[in-house]
Amino acid sequence: VVVITEIYGAGEVKIANLSGQVLADQIAEHHPRVYFEPDLLSLPQFLTRLLRTGDLLLFLSAGNLNQVISPTMEQLRQCSIIL
């Protein structure tokens, strides 16, 4: 499973015609389960609905994704998806 969020710049010039949705669409051409979740604050709830016990969750970001890692992990623990 691949989950893509919106792409946010860090001050550099935005690349024309590139967004999280475009990236997710391109990946989906080569992978069967790709999801786009544009709202970073909704990511914990989205992942709680999507993930199951035994799944591997890997966060990759050069931005502020770190702000939702702890809330996501806590919500997954509360739902007994992770121990």
Side-chain angles (χ1 to χ4, degrees):
V1 175
V2 176
V3 179
I4 303 291
T5 61
E6 192 52 81
I7 298 171
Y8 299 99
E12 66 273 359
V13 176
K14 183 177 178 174
I15 300 173
N17 300 318
L18 180 62
S19 68
Q21 182 67 64
V22 169
L23 181 60
D25 292 344
Q26 292 293 313
I27 293 170
E29 291 181 10
H30 307 280
H31 192 283
R33 292 184 62 204
V34 179
Y35 300 91
F36 175 62
E37 177 52 56
D39 182 12
L40 202 57
L41 295 177
S42 297
L43 194 60
Q45 295 82 17
F46 180 81
L47 290 172
T48 299
R49 289 189 313 269
L50 181 68
L51 297 176
R52 299 293 171 253
T53 301
D55 286 348
L56 172 68
L57 177 58
L58 175 66
F59 293 94
L60 297 174
S61 171
N64 58 354
L65 185 63
N66 64 318
Q67 295 174 0
V68 298
I69 293 174
S70 288
T72 299
M73 299 306 286
E74 181 58 34
Q75 191 159 350
L76 291 170
R77 277 188 202 91
Q78 289 177 2
C79 295
S80 299
I81 295 172
I82 64 169
L83 303 174

